[in-house]
Amino acid sequence: MDHVAASSSSALDALMLPFAQGLLEWPRGPVLFLRARDGAALRRFPLEQLVCEQGFRPEADALERAGLHVVADVASLQDTSQFPLVLVLPSRQRDEARALLARAVQWAAPGGRVVAAMDNNEGARSGEADLKALAGSVSALTKFHCRTFWTPSLKAADEYPLLQTWAALDAPRAIEGGRYLSRPGVFAWNRIDPASALLAEHLPADLSGAGADLGAGWGYLSVSALSRCPGIHALDLYEAESRALALARDNLAACAPSARCDFFWHDVTHGLPKQYDFIISNPPFHAQGRADRPDIGQRFIAAAAAALKPRGRLWLVANRHLPYESELRTHFASVRTVAERDGFKVIEAVRAA
């Protein structure tokens, strides 16, 4: 088991521990699970009660395979009644985590409670302090290198003065002098990351036809490609994080492209449903943790190769130390490094005719 998977499992185990130990009673009504993950600890409880909000496509897919009710945003539900229990696995980004805890309290019914768990290395003490600041008091336990913390029975949401302010902490906002929209918690949320900037700088103006942006994030590379390459008539954006994909829609609409743009909430490692003349990508090299995951980028490369037409071109940027060249040479007729700077490399790979 890799570090990311182990951390994910430990936090879920810790989250369910107060119920397994009898410290808390499992309710009879519906249970909301924010940033939900599947795992053995969850299966000890009635799964049919759960409404799972998960915007990261690989985690959402795993929950759906387990037969759970999954939504990218709980606000999309037709039934917006509150829940007697809200479970939360907050992220390590502080503003996003605070906003998530505030939403958890908002979704909890009067008399209900919020239960959260975080890995000790992912800001658990801060998360506990934040929930205490929101709700007035918390109880806690430590196990599995994690902290689990929960509210007492909650009052009506308007009794908590920080709630509205914190719920807005991860709201979309303008960055880069108003050129783009982004929000805390998505990759490189408050800047153009240097790898993407390097790739955008070297994209050839003759890219044309139908293309795709794999791991599109909030849309910077797609905007750059459409601005630089007038021959593009269609561009598909694939992104596993629904919050980032929503921003990409806004950012692409704002640049008023002449090309048709379509948006796919999709795990690229499962392959692509269409064929393309070119593909651009700054693939992720970690999942929802800090450990390097070069296998993700390698699977992006394999998916791109399978989706490119003969003589189709892949333009890729990556950290210089990542071992992608062998995978590229396996799938492509020619591979060349176009540029290197600040620890990153830009590579063009061309499919055989």
Side-chain angles (χ1 to χ4, degrees):
M1 179 182 292
D2 60 46
H3 170 78
V4 175
S7 176
S8 172
S9 175
S10 295
L12 179 61
D13 290 345
L15 182 70
M16 308 310 295
L17 195 60
F19 304 100
Q21 292 185 343
L23 298 174
L24 295 175
E25 184 177 351
W26 190 261
R28 293 185 178 182
V31 174
L32 177 62
F33 190 179
L34 301 177
R35 288 184 68 90
R37 301 174 195 155
D38 184 32
L42 198 62
R43 296 163 186 269
R44 300 171 190 165
F45 300 90
L47 298 183
E48 65 275 8
Q49 291 179 245
L50 288 168
V51 176
C52 299
E53 182 186 85
Q54 177 54 261
F56 186 55
R57 186 77 255 188
E59 297 282 8
D61 287 344
L63 289 160
E64 288 176 348
R65 286 194 297 271
L68 290 157
H69 180 194
V70 185
V71 294
D73 183 353
V74 69
S76 66
L77 293 173
Q78 291 185 346
D79 180 4
T80 57
S81 57
Q82 293 174 300
F83 297 81
L85 173 63
V86 181
L87 304 172
V88 196
L89 292 172
S91 70
R92 68 174 182 265
Q93 206 288 332
R94 191 83 183 266
D95 284 346
E96 182 190 11
R98 282 179 163 176
L100 190 67
L101 290 171
R103 287 205 303 119
V105 173
Q106 287 176 324
W107 280 107
R113 71 173 76 244
V114 171
V115 182
M118 298 178 72
D119 189 281
N120 289 336
N121 294 324
E122 299 289 323
R125 285 190 178 274
S126 296
E128 180 183 347
D130 286 343
L131 187 57
K132 182 177 180 179
L134 273 174
S137 66
V138 295
S139 300
L141 60 82
T142 60
K143 187 75 171 177
F144 311 124
H145 304 288
C146 297
R147 296 182 75 84
T148 308
F149 41 97
W150 60 91
T151 67
S153 295
L154 291 166
K155 298 173 285 189
D158 58 12
E159 297 286 329
Y160 300 101
L162 283 176
L163 214 56
Q164 294 300 323
T165 300
W166 280 21
L169 284 176
D170 74 337
R173 78 281 309 269
I175 64 168
E176 294 292 321
R179 292 169 60 199
Y180 306 102
L181 284 177
S182 189
R183 66 189 303 184
V186 302
F187 172 69
W189 80 267
N190 59 352
R191 70 193 190 283
I192 297 169
D193 77 279
S196 293
L198 183 64
L199 178 54
E201 179 183 328
H202 288 88
L203 286 177
D206 67 347
L207 288 180
S208 62
D213 181 355
L214 308 187
W218 49 259
Y220 168 74
L221 271 178
S222 289
V223 171
S224 299
L226 292 170
S227 301
R228 193 178 181 94
C229 310
I232 297 174
H233 65 72
L235 188 63
D236 290 343
L237 284 75
Y238 292 87
E239 172 54 44
E241 178 52 65
S242 63
R243 298 165 78 250
L245 190 65
L247 294 163
R249 287 180 182 273
D250 292 335
N251 288 323
L252 268 291
C255 82
S258 57
R260 188 197 78 246
C261 296
D262 289 320
F263 302 83
F264 297 90
W265 183 40
H266 182 73
D267 181 356
V268 168
T269 66
H270 290 172
L272 304 178
K274 300 167 67 174
Q275 294 287 294
Y276 296 101
D277 300 298
F278 71 90
I279 289 173
I280 60 176
S281 185
N282 178 5
F285 59 95
H286 53 77
Q288 290 191 317
R290 298 176 181 175
D292 277 6
R293 288 284 306 275
D295 60 298
I296 299 176
Q298 290 163 346
R299 290 160 71 185
F300 267 54
I301 290 167
L308 281 166
K309 299 175 183 176
R311 301 299 302 167
R313 300 152 76 186
L314 169 65
W315 280 78
L316 174 86
V317 66
N319 286 48
R320 187 180 294 159
H321 74 276
L322 291 173
Y324 290 164
E325 281 75 9
S326 176
E327 189 75 18
L328 286 161
R329 286 191 290 269
T330 296
H331 294 286
F332 290 88
S334 70
V335 178
R336 69 184 181 103
T337 299
V338 177
E340 293 186 77
R341 189 175 71 211
D342 300 330
F344 301 106
K345 57 190 175 187
V346 172
I347 297 172
E348 182 196 34
V350 182
R351 286 296 312 274

